[in-house]
Amino acid sequence: MRVATRANGQADGELVVISAGGDRLLPVGGRFASLIAAMEHWGEAERAMRGLAARLEAGEGEALDPAALLAPLPRSWQWLDGSAFPQHGELMQRAFNLPPIETDRPLMYQGLSDRFLPGHADVPLPSEADGIDFEGEFGVITDAVPMGITAQEAMKHIRLVILINDWSLRAIAPVEMKTGFGWVQAKPACSAAPFAVTPDELGDAWKDGRVHLPLEVHVNGQWFGNPDGGEMAFGFHELVAHAARTRDLVAGTIIGSGTVSNASYDRVGSACISERRAIEMIASGAPATSFLRFGDRVQMQAAGDHFGAVDQKVVRALAADQRG
């Protein structure tokens, strides 16, 4: 089953179920008019949405307008992003001569959750000098997760899977990391592809708590990479359990995989500029690929088109006194 959120003038938008062909929809309405409301009562909400999905396959529904879709969850109570692809970390450590992070635990930080940008919207950022970068990753949305849950138990709390572009400002990140307090300015709002899917929708591509699909990335129409999501050192169920070790997770929590990265990067490329620059530094001593400039376009789409596409242009943000 695929769901999405349609703009309706409200912050949380209108929850809709999407046809298998991706061209028609039916609003859910009632108690589950938004996805955040549905996550809080997932069992009942899923039954209602499955019924709508059956009606869509019988030919009902209205035409889908892609431009009217927001991020699947336009805002959430919590966004926790992991770094579960070891190859990405190893490349960064080699390129910048950093010591390895000595831990057997997943890496994770808490990011901005009060908005997720639509996957088709322009992305306003203040300065090209900040080192504008994208990060293609997969994510999951959970229902309410109790504290202290095991990874095996956590699997059943993963209700939806999404595709995320985690925007990063690379010139700011090292400065904030040195403070020991984590990122604020270096991590603006993320973007998300329009459709969220139940794990069963992915078929054999959902296995061991991982999305075994290539994520194809283009920048200004040029191929950038298509690494596969299956090489996570920790599955999403393990990331959920890690996050819930000392606290409950509220329904609607979003957890990210971190930048999709593969050991065969020389063949499949990368899902972020910083990783490509690290590869160039290792190979020749200096990076050759520039960070993004205003007007640059980033496109992301997973094989099978389960999630729809991210297709966005980076633009200069208006000054505060120009926003009206």
Side-chain angles (χ1 to χ4, degrees), residues 250-262:
V250 68
T253 293
I254 305 174
I255 294 182
S257 67
T259 306
V260 178
S261 180
N262 291 174

Side-chain angles (χ1 to χ4, degrees), residues 86 93 200 212 249:
Q93 288 161 14
D200 63 283
H212 293 262
L249 303 183

Side-chain angles (χ1 to χ4, degrees), residues 73 76-84 106-114 116 137-143 145 162 164 166 183 187 190 232 236 238-250 252-259:
L73 201 53
S76 178
W77 302 112
Q78 185 163 229
W79 156 237
L80 300 170
D81 197 14
S83 182
L107 302 178
M108 185 174 289
Y109 75 92
Q110 187 156 342
L112 186 158
S113 65
D114 63 12
F116 281 78
E137 55 185 274
F138 294 105
V140 298
I141 306 176
T142 74
D143 61 9
V145 180
I162 58 176
I164 297 169
D166 175 27
W183 291 307
K187 289 291 185 178
C190 298
M232 293 170 70
F236 277 111
E238 294 167 302
L239 296 182
V240 172
H242 172 75
R245 180 175 178 268
T246 60
R247 56 177 164 172
D248 297 334
L249 303 183
V250 68
T253 293
I254 305 174
I255 294 182
S257 67
T259 306

Side-chain angles (χ1 to χ4, degrees), residues 212-285:
H212 293 262
L213 291 172
L215 174 55
E216 186 146 340
V217 180
H218 288 80
V219 178
N220 295 327
Q222 299 296 311
W223 179 86
F224 198 90
N226 63 330
D228 192 280
E231 289 191 22
M232 293 170 70
F234 298 94
F236 277 111
H237 56 310
E238 294 167 302
L239 296 182
V240 172
H242 172 75
R245 180 175 178 268
T246 60
R247 56 177 164 172
D248 297 334
L249 303 183
V250 68
T253 293
I254 305 174
I255 294 182
S257 67
T259 306
V260 178
S261 180
N262 291 174
S264 56
Y265 58 83
D266 56 338
R267 178 174 56 86
V268 302
S270 300
C272 76
I273 294 174
S274 186
E275 180 174 297
R276 177 182 277 191
R277 286 167 61 91
I279 293 166
E280 293 165 346
M281 291 170 67
I282 293 166
S284 62

Side-chain angles (χ1 to χ4, degrees), residues 155-184:
M155 190 72 84
K156 67 176 179 289
H157 291 279
I158 296 172
R159 299 305 190 179
L160 294 168
V161 186
I162 58 176
L163 170 59
I164 297 169
N165 183 1
D166 175 27
W167 293 98
S168 295
L169 302 178
R170 300 298 188 183
I172 300 175
V175 178
E176 291 193 311
M177 288 175 69
K178 288 178 182 177
T179 69
F181 276 80
W183 291 307
V184 176

